[in-house]
Amino acid sequence: MLLEIKDLIVQTNNGKQILKNLNLRVAKKETHILLGPNASGKSSLTQVIAGNPQYKIISGKILFEGKDITKSAPEKRVKMGIAVSWQNPPAIKGVKLAKLLEKITIKQRKTAIEPYLKQREINVNLSGGEKKITELAQILCLNPKLVVFDEIDSGLDIKKIQEIIEIIKKELISKNIAVLFITHSADVLKFLKPDITNVIVQGKVICRTKDYKKVLQTIKKYNYEKCKKCEKLKKHKM
């Protein structure tokens, strides 16, 4: 197992509980999607995997390649092979993208993203799609074992989402790099066709399946309301 999250309970600094006995497993080379409605804990989980100290882990563990990284600093997690692509990457004036890539590159390789690597400032005056592609360029330079995408499809049209996912397939999935794609939109399923689809509701992963088509059909027809009812039914039976 590459990433294993066990019975994780997390709260913010103001005491609000946001993840509730959450369990998630991602094996090496696997492609996962984590779907959920707004305020279900998706982005919070990304922050916790990245090691953001503003999120307090009350109990539970995060393991990476069998090693306990629950209390590890973000930079240590990156060195171990965890990379995160954020929903809203910041613009950094005065810093050239090419210069940053030169500094962070662990493994040099020719990629389909090279046409985007111009001598320009990081994310300055770029469209949403261009920002996501420059994020991908940075991730590829880190030579990761696992890439977590935090709703990078947000704000993009279908054509641009397809373009981004094709790059992910070519530059990550085809090279056996594990992917955890976190999103609100079930439409991503038909483009990415993940090995495993997970559904998160109210801070807890309530569903894990290989049948992404069934999840897509359910959410397209009922939104996330049926998922919420399913979780209530499970609790009633316990």
Side-chain angles (χ1 to χ4, degrees), residues 104-109 140-143:
I104 68 173
T105 295
I106 292 174
K107 183 178 180 180
Q108 191 72 49
R109 66 186 183 197
L140 290 172
C141 288
L142 295 172
N143 194 31

Side-chain angles (χ1 to χ4, degrees), residues 77-78 81-85 138-140 142 144-149:
R77 301 181 192 211
V78 173
I82 300 175
V84 177
S85 178
Q138 293 168 54
I139 281 170
L140 290 172
L142 295 172
K145 297 174 183 177
L146 168 69
V147 182
V148 181
F149 291 98

